[in-house]
Amino acid sequence: MVADFVSSMSDHPLRNEPPFDKDPDTIPGLFKDLKPIDSAISSVEKLLHSEKYEVYFLSTAPWNNPSAWTDKRLWIEEQFGEKINRRLILTHRKDLMKGDILIDDRPNNGAKDFEGELITFGSHKYPNWDAVLHYLV
């Protein structure tokens, strides 16, 4: 959970226009200009530089918004540069991925069935990146 999708979606000028009022994640270009969540970039940078973790970005993109797939890849590269080359996985089935830890804000798209530990970002236990880092580092 590094991008603030909710704020970007709510603030977008097309948010209340049909057909986007009913399906806002189909707004073209929505995913290219997302704002990072507070402390997300610096926190992930710490994890990327840690010898303890091999970090991958696992995300779901709306099937009926093809630009979202490209926009997510470009956004993640803009935030983290070349070091994330080939570390973005776009899928609707997070439970098919192998790993020890998944940090996600929702149990959707298989996250609740992930084989490793699910850290629920935004929960009481992990309300922000400081809490997540405190647990992981």
Side-chain angles (χ1 to χ4, degrees):
M1 185 73 196
V2 292
D4 188 354
F5 170 74
V6 174
S7 291
S8 295
M9 177 192 60
S10 298
D11 296 342
H12 199 281
L14 295 177
R15 172 63 178 96
N16 296 314
E17 300 293 325
F20 310 118
D21 56 337
K22 296 194 181 357
D23 203 4
D25 62 354
T26 61
I27 296 172
L30 176 67
F31 294 91
K32 70 179 178 180
D33 296 321
L34 299 176
K35 295 175 186 79
I37 289 177
D38 287 342
S39 301
I41 305 304
S42 61
S43 297
V44 172
E45 285 284 353
K46 288 178 186 172
L47 296 175
L48 283 166
H49 289 96
S50 168
E51 292 185 20
K52 186 176 178 183
Y53 300 104
E54 186 175 350
V55 177
Y56 284 81
F57 297 89
L58 186 58
S59 185
T60 300
W63 190 255
N64 52 353
N65 184 354
S67 75
W69 298 71
T70 300
D71 292 342
K72 284 187 174 217
R73 182 229 176 269
L74 294 173
W75 188 90
I76 210 84
E77 182 178 9
E78 182 179 315
Q79 303 306 314
F80 298 103
E82 289 290 317
K83 64 184 147 281
I84 57 87
N85 190 14
R86 303 193 196 304
R87 290 180 178 253
L88 172 63
I89 300 167
L90 295 173
T91 181
H92 288 277
R93 291 284 312 275
K94 295 178 181 181
D95 56 315
L96 297 178
M97 301 298 112
K98 298 280 184 199
D100 298 317
I101 298 169
L102 173 63
I103 303 168
D104 208 320
D105 63 330
R106 302 177 307 155
N108 303 6
N109 300 309
K112 72 177 177 354
D113 298 318
F114 178 72
E115 71 175 26
E117 177 182 2
L118 174 62
I119 293 176
T120 306
F121 186 87
S123 66
H124 178 71
K125 188 172 182 181
Y126 302 106
N128 54 39
W129 273 102
D130 291 335
V132 171
L133 271 189
H134 183 264
Y135 175 69
L136 293 176
V137 180

